[in-house]
Structure formats: C-alpha cells, structure tokens
Amino acid sequence: NKSPKLAEQLRQLQGGRNVLRAAIHKYHVVERSKFARLRAVWRSFKGLFTEGSTRVVLPSPLEEVNAVSGGTNARPTPPLAADQDPYQRWLETHSPSEIDFDAMRKAARRLARPPLISVIMPVYDAPEQYLRAAIDSVRDQVYPHWELCIADDNSSNGRLREVLAAYAAKDLRIKVVYRQENGHISRASNSALALATGEFVGFLDHDDVLTRDALYEVAMVADRHPDTDMVYSDEDKIHHDGRLSDPFFKPDWCPDSFLSRMYTCHFGVYRRSLVEAVGRLRPDFDGSQDYDLVLRLTEHTTRIHHISKVLYHWRAHSVSTAHGTSAKPYSGVAAERALNDALIRRGEAGVASSLPDCPGTYVVRYQIKLPDLVSVIVPTRDHGEDVDRCLTSIFAKTTYENFEVLLLDNGTTDPESLATFEKWASKDARVRVVRYDEPFNFSRINNYAVAQSCGSYLLFLNNDTEVITSDWMEAMVEYAQRSSIGAVGALLLYPDGSIQHAGVVTGIGGVAGHSHKRFPGDAFGYFSTLRAINNYSAVTGACMMVRRSVFEEVGGFDETLAVAFNDVDFCLKLQAAGYRNVYLPHAKLYHYESRNRGHETTPEKQERFGRETRTMIERWKTNVEPDPCYSPNLTLEHENFAIRLQ
C-alpha cells in the first residue's frame, strides 16, 4: 500500500536506472567501434607486407567489391571479452520497465475490441515449481483479457491436481479438465482446446514461462491487423536459477525456411476458428504436433505476423527439448512425417528427409517435372585458367544433362585464354563463346547473354567457381521450377573451405552482406541456418539460377549498376514482385573470389561504388528497412548473426 508520492519516486528511480543502463551500453558500443576501426587499420597495414595477401582492407567502412557478385560494407567482427554476455547486455536495454508495463495496461484499456486469448496448457507430471511458474506467468500478464485452459493428462503425481484446483479456485479465468487416461500431448492439448472460448489460442508448455507483456503484444498485433490468423514471437531459454540465455531472434514468415525447420515455435498464437477448421492437433504427430499444426494452418492463410521480441522463455532441463533433441528423439521422426504429409496435401512431388548430423533440420528435394534446358552464363575477360577449371568441373561432375554453356568473352586479349576458350568450344557442342567487346558492365553483359541463350532456366555463374556436389544443378532446378520461387542460390566456399556465400542479408553495412561469411564450411550457423534451406532477400550472382520467364518479367539486371549490388537489386525486384529467393546448402561450389576486375582502390572506382551504394539505399531503403528474412535484433555491422547491441 505505497503512497502515490512514494510510487512516483520509485517510478522515477526505475526510469533513472534505465537511462543509466542505456548510457553504459552506449559507452561499450563506442569503445568497441573504436577498437574495430583500429583493428581494421592495423590489418590493412599488415596486409601490405604479408606474403600471398590477396587484398588490402582500406581504413574505411567500404569493403572491396566483388566485380560480379555485389559486395558488402560489413566491418570485421571485434572480439568479445570472456566476461561479457551479449544477451544480458541486450536484456538490460530491451526489457520493459514498470513504467512500460503501466503504459501497456493503459493502452490495453483503450482497445475498442480487446481479443480474448485462450492459453492452452497440457500438463503431465510437471515439476511443481515449474508448473507454478508457468501458471503465474499467465496470471502476471499486463493484458487482462485471457483465459488459461489446462488439461491434466492423468498425471501420476496426485499433488498436481491439488495445485491446479487451488489455482482454478483463486482465479476464475483458469479452467481445468482432468483426463481419465494418459493420451499424450496432442490429446491433452485438444482437451484443453475444448475449454477455450477465446478468439485466439496460444500454446504454453507446463514448465515454460511467458514474459509479462506476451499477451499484450499479441493483442496489439490483432488490434492493428484484425484479420490476423497467426502470430509468433522470438524466444529464449530459462534455466533453473532464472538465468536467460540462447535467444532465438527469428525472421518474418519464410515458407521455405519453415519447411526446413520449425522455427516459429514459441510463442505461437493462432485464430481458434482456424485451428478448429483444420482439425486441431493430431496425435499421430506427437513430438512435432505443433509443426504439423502450423503446416496445415499456413495452407489456409498468409495473414501471419512476427513479433520481433522475446515473449517466451523455454525451460532448459534434462527432459526438455530445449536442453537438446535427444530428450525426445521421436520428435524428428514425427516432423519428417508431417513434412511429407504436407507435400502430399499440397500436390508437390517431393521428399523431406532429416539431416542426421543436424537434428531438427530437414531437406526437401522436389521431383523435377520437366528437365528443361539450363543456360549456364559465364562472363570472363582473359583468365583462361579459371575458366578451364570451372568448365572442367561442370562437365566432369554435373549429373544434370540438359544444359548449355555460354562463355561471354568481354574483351579477352590473352592468347592462352583465347586458346582455352576455343578448346572448349571445339571439345563440346554445348559450349558457345560469345564475344562482347564493350566496356565492362556486369548487368549489360549478362542481359546480352540472356538474349543469346536458349534455356528455360538461366544459371549465372562466375568464371572462378568450381563444382563440388554433382547434383548441384538438379538441386537448383528443383527449386527454380516452382512458381513461388524467384532466384536460387548455392553454398559457395573459399578454397580453404570457409564460407564465402550462404545467402545475402540486406542492411548489413548499409546495403548488403553475406550470411556467415568466413565461418567454417561445416558449421551449423545461427540456429542451424547454414545447414537449412532458407529464404533470403537476395543471393549472390556468382551462382544464381532463375526461370527465364521470371527474369524477363522483372526486366533483368539494372544496367545502371555496372559492378556492385546488381545481383542484390535483381533479387529485391523479384521479392517485390511476390517471388521468394532461396539458398540451398546442398548445392556446393568453390568460389575463388573473383580477381578479374581488381579492387576498389582508385578514386574512380570508389566514386562509382559510392554512386551504386546510394542507388541501392535510395531505391530499396536498405539502411532503414529491415530485411524480412533476418531479425532486427541481429547485427547490421557484421556478417556473423551476432546480437545487435547498439
């Protein structure tokens, strides 16, 4: 019973504490930024004298630009001291204060039509302290319009019945049903669903915890978008001591990413009428019942919203899948069955299979309907050795048979290179050398090549690539043939086996950067991102396939972007036209990082790069518009999916 004056003083104190936290955080950011600059300058100086150095890093935000595959402005990643936990620092500046919660309560009261949200909780032999924490997290919500629907699945621990009965007596918004036999999670959840009367239903495990603003954030989305059918949020893990870790900052709705892993997961909230319409949860898919449910739901709606905030704490203990998928090994089998069932329902001939060394991740391989001609377009000037290695790998390893190679010779003068081109043209009728003696313009060269080609599929390929996986072209055709897909990209590795390209993220460095660049080639990446098929806003033109019809629909490459970002611009045009771009981890090539056109070291080249950078920012607002296939909570300074702290 605090006095109003004391309450106001406490609020001011809390506000001052938040300001202090923000100031400390900004101090750390500035310090790291200074260090990053000094480190970049030192590396640049050192690189001048290092034997075998392939590039000089200028002490500037502008990185060198690959003449064919776009470029990046990302800075080197500064080291992090061992005693610094980025997520704890993130929580300090992003966790709502009591003042924020008060504002949320007031906003909720102003809603003209506040939706009732039914929280569904199946319970079976939950540790009592965790069960109480889960229930209390619902009762502590700042949004008041909820009901908690609990189904006890005939727990062997009789004490839990007493706990549930006490909560139901204490709060009329809590409803409990006691099942007479153990039916496992889907049947128990369906029993809880039978109690629900809310417009929306959200699923909460009996040992997990909602943040206090979870239902408020969902209600605000429903208020802003009354036709919403599905909402999901970011999540983290909570340990026995209350410590929070491992935040999963997710992308917006990406259908192909979802077919590779159940990334929406917690906190998932769905329109109850749609859940009922698709038949609720199916017991045959226990262990991945939520994956199966969302696969079915999203076949009936695209009205899906992502809340880029952590609203759910997933309990990490020895029998929880948050601790590791080995706790419930049957979940992977159920997920694989759910995916294959979805492919059958959708009429897409394909097979989903799990990755044995990456639990919870799946690969869908589609049947190729028509093995139409693929036109492989390889621009070059000189560099006969690179071209020879590239074509040798294509013809020696590629198992897809219906392709042609157009070697676009952009002003070659080297006799040995010309002899190499002629050798290939004479050796195989599928190789054609097309002369294009005009000043270098990547976009114009490739647009010209397309006009000379015959294929239904266009495969743009750097001359300094080398095929690794024999079915790379089949894999790309499998996805390029789908009507929903725009550009298809591959996994490109540096000669040392580290990652050169695994999808492009817009906004990094102001325009775009490569996902997980320089990570080990066998790394899992951020929440298995590297091993999963993923939608990205863009993929690199160093190895990119697209249907000819789609290429022509969006007008091909923009010829005002002569060197940098033309591939990113092209992919963004595809995305704006309603197509999805996709990265395939199982289509692998080496990329020797084009040396054809040199580095951005002259004033003329730097001026051109600056002009093309401004074009991208003005056209696509890459410096302010968040990438829908990436999280606004992840860094835009580096390419490593680190937490964004500034």
Side-chain angles (χ1 to χ4, degrees):
N1 297 323
K2 301 182 182 70
S3 68
K5 183 177 180 179
L6 179 58
E8 177 61 27
Q9 289 175 337
L10 288 172
R11 279 194 293 270
Q12 291 178 358
L13 181 63
Q14 179 65 36
R17 186 182 179 210
N18 290 338
V19 170
L20 179 60
R21 281 177 172 173
I24 293 172
H25 167 66
K26 288 179 180 178
Y27 169 79
H28 285 307
V29 170
V30 171
E31 286 300 302
R32 289 197 315 280
S33 297
K34 286 180 179 178
F35 181 79
R37 290 196 199 95
L38 289 171
R39 187 165 172 257
V41 171
W42 164 244
R43 283 189 169 180
S44 300
F45 180 79
K46 183 180 178 183
L48 292 172
F49 302 99
T50 301
E51 183 178 357
S53 177
T54 59
R55 56 177 283 195
V56 175
V57 183
L58 299 175
S60 156
L62 302 181
E63 289 271 350
E64 63 168 322
V65 179
N66 181 321
V68 176
S69 63
T72 174
N73 295 342
R75 296 207 297 271
T77 304
L80 189 67
D83 60 345
Q84 290 180 311
D85 182 341
Y87 187 43
Q88 299 309 311
R89 290 166 53 197
W90 186 91
L91 288 169
E92 288 176 358
T93 54
H94 290 81
S95 297
S97 67
E98 286 300 328
I99 295 175
D100 296 323
F101 290 136
D102 285 343
M104 292 176 193
R105 292 186 186 95
K106 292 175 183 176
R109 288 196 291 268
R110 291 194 295 268
L111 291 179
R113 187 178 170 275
L116 178 64
I117 302 173
S118 301
V119 179
I120 306 302
M121 183 191 291
V123 173
Y124 180 73
D125 282 354
E128 183 178 333
Q129 71 274 25
Y130 294 160
L131 176 61
R132 288 185 179 276
I135 296 173
D136 288 339
S137 76
V138 179
R139 298 189 69 226
D140 287 343
Q141 292 295 303
V142 297
Y143 182 75
H145 305 290
W146 56 264
E147 61 180 9
L148 176 57
C149 303
I150 302 174
D152 177 72
D153 197 24
N154 196 28
S155 293
S156 60
N157 182 357
R159 169 65 182 162
L160 297 185
R161 180 182 289 258
E162 299 174 14
V163 171
L164 295 175
Y167 271 109
K170 188 185 302 184
D171 195 322
L172 296 180
R173 294 173 295 181
I174 298 177
K175 305 175 181 180
V176 184
V177 62
Y178 302 97
R179 291 175 49 82
Q180 297 305 304
E181 62 180 7
N182 179 256
H184 303 295
I185 191 166
S186 292
R187 290 187 176 89
S189 297
N190 287 339
S191 295
L193 274 167
L195 303 174
T197 60
E199 184 177 357
F200 295 94
V201 295
F203 291 86
L204 173 64
D205 287 349
H206 63 199
D207 50 0
D208 295 342
V209 176
L210 295 179
T211 64
R212 291 176 66 187
D213 56 337
L215 300 185
Y216 166 82
E217 294 291 350
V218 172
M220 291 299 105
V221 170
D223 181 66
R224 291 190 298 269
H225 307 281
D227 62 348
T228 294
D229 286 326
M230 172 178 164
V231 182
Y232 66 96
S233 75
D234 296 344
E235 62 189 271
D236 64 13
K237 294 184 177 67
I238 186 169
H239 299 264
H240 65 89
D241 57 358
R243 179 175 56 89
L244 303 176
S245 70
D246 302 319
F248 186 6
F249 295 124
K250 307 171 186 178
D252 290 344
W253 178 240
C254 295
D256 301 290
S257 300
F258 190 74
L259 289 177
S260 201
R261 54 188 173 146
M262 201 311 186
Y263 75 85
T264 62
C265 205
H266 306 306
F267 178 43
V269 180
Y270 317 98
R271 187 173 295 278
R272 183 168 63 90
S273 59
L274 189 54
V275 173
E276 297 289 352
V278 301
R280 298 183 180 179
L281 297 169
R282 300 196 291 180
D284 287 347
F285 298 90
D286 274 356
S288 287
Q289 71 287 337
D290 50 352
Y291 202 175
D292 172 62
L293 175 65
V294 178
L295 285 167
R296 288 180 287 128
L297 284 173
T298 54
E299 291 164 10
H300 298 276
T301 184
T302 57
R303 297 184 290 272
I304 301 166
H305 295 275
H306 167 221
I307 300 172
S308 297
K309 297 181 179 180
V310 173
L311 303 182
Y312 193 103
H313 303 313
W314 196 4
R315 182 76 63 179
H317 57 83
S318 59
V319 294
S320 166
T321 49
H323 190 73
T325 54
S326 59
K328 295 180 181 178
Y330 57 89
S331 64
V333 176
E336 192 174 307
R337 288 176 46 244
L339 286 165
N340 283 297
D341 196 51
L343 293 173
I344 293 171
R345 279 196 312 274
R346 299 172 185 186
E348 294 195 82
V351 176
S353 58
S354 60
L355 294 179
D357 64 338
C358 190
T361 306
Y362 309 88
V363 173
V364 177
R365 299 297 303 261
Y366 294 95
Q367 179 181 321
I368 296 176
K369 299 174 184 177
L370 292 172
D372 286 341
L373 180 67
V374 175
S375 293
V376 184
I377 296 171
V378 183
T380 192
R381 177 178 178 175
D382 298 318
H383 288 268
E385 185 178 345
D386 285 336
V387 170
D388 191 55
R389 180 181 57 230
C390 176
L391 297 188
T392 297
S393 72
I394 291 174
F395 283 91
K397 295 183 179 180
T398 303
T399 52
Y400 190 88
E401 297 179 353
N402 194 14
F403 68 89
E404 64 173 359
V405 176
L406 275 73
L407 196 57
L408 262 292
D409 178 4
N410 184 217
T412 294
T413 58
D414 172 48
E416 291 186 6
S417 295
L418 289 170
T420 297
F421 303 163
E422 180 59 32
K423 178 193 74 173
W424 278 102
S426 303
K427 182 177 181 180
D428 197 302
R430 289 176 290 179
V431 178
R432 284 191 284 144
V433 179
V434 179
R435 293 284 297 188
Y436 187 76
D437 293 328
E438 299 290 339
F440 176 74
N441 181 311
F442 172 83
S443 298
R444 191 171 297 144
I445 289 170
N446 281 283
N447 287 342
Y448 179 79
V450 170
Q452 310 304 310
S453 68
C454 304
S456 299
Y457 299 104
L458 306 172
L459 176 52
F460 301 97
L461 189 67
N462 269 27
N463 64 357
D464 59 347
T465 54
E466 181 181 358
V467 174
I468 297 175
T469 51
S470 60
D471 64 344
W472 69 293
M473 200 176 291
E474 283 100 333
M476 298 182 83
V477 171
E478 287 172 24
Y479 278 81
Q481 71 180 346
R482 300 172 64 214
S483 61
S484 59
I485 299 299
V488 181
L491 171 61
L492 302 183
L493 304 176
Y494 286 113
D496 65 2
S498 64
I499 289 171
Q500 188 272 332
H501 169 267
V504 172
V505 176
T506 61
I508 292 180
V511 180
H514 290 256
S515 161
H516 295 90
K517 191 172 183 178
R518 286 296 184 187
F519 273 54
D522 58 354
F524 283 24
Y526 184 74
F527 285 88
S528 300
T529 295
L530 286 173
R531 307 298 296 278
I533 295 168
N534 278 298
N535 293 120
Y536 278 96
S537 289
V539 295
T540 180
C543 182
M544 176 173 67
M545 182 181 286
V546 64
R547 295 192 303 283
R548 174 184 293 273
S549 60
V550 174
F551 181 88
E552 294 173 347
E553 178 185 337
V554 301
F557 292 105
D558 182 354
E559 296 182 6
T560 66
L561 296 170
V563 177
F565 306 123
N566 31 61
D567 48 1
V568 178
D569 176 75
F570 174 72
C571 288
L572 292 178
K573 288 195 296 183
L574 292 172
Q575 187 169 261
Y579 297 102
R580 301 192 303 270
N581 303 315
V582 66
Y583 148 78
L584 304 181
H586 51 286
K588 297 181 184 180
L589 299 88
Y590 287 116
H591 184 202
Y592 293 85
E593 191 72 80
S594 181
R595 301 178 292 273
N596 292 15
R597 303 292 166 173
H599 306 301
E600 305 295 78
T601 54
T602 68
E604 294 79 12
K605 289 182 178 180
Q606 290 183 343
E607 190 281 328
R608 187 265 311 145
F609 178 61
R611 184 174 63 252
E612 293 177 338
T613 298
R614 289 192 296 274
T615 295
M616 291 295 293
I617 290 175
E618 291 169 4
R619 180 177 297 168
W620 300 110
K621 305 295 187 293
T622 54
N623 61 333
V624 293
E625 291 293 332
D627 186 330
C629 301
Y630 190 63
S631 170
N633 293 313
L634 297 175
T635 181
L636 291 178
E637 294 186 14
H638 315 294
E639 298 169 304
N640 61 357
F641 281 61
I643 296 174
R644 185 176 184 176
L645 294 174
Q646 69 275 23

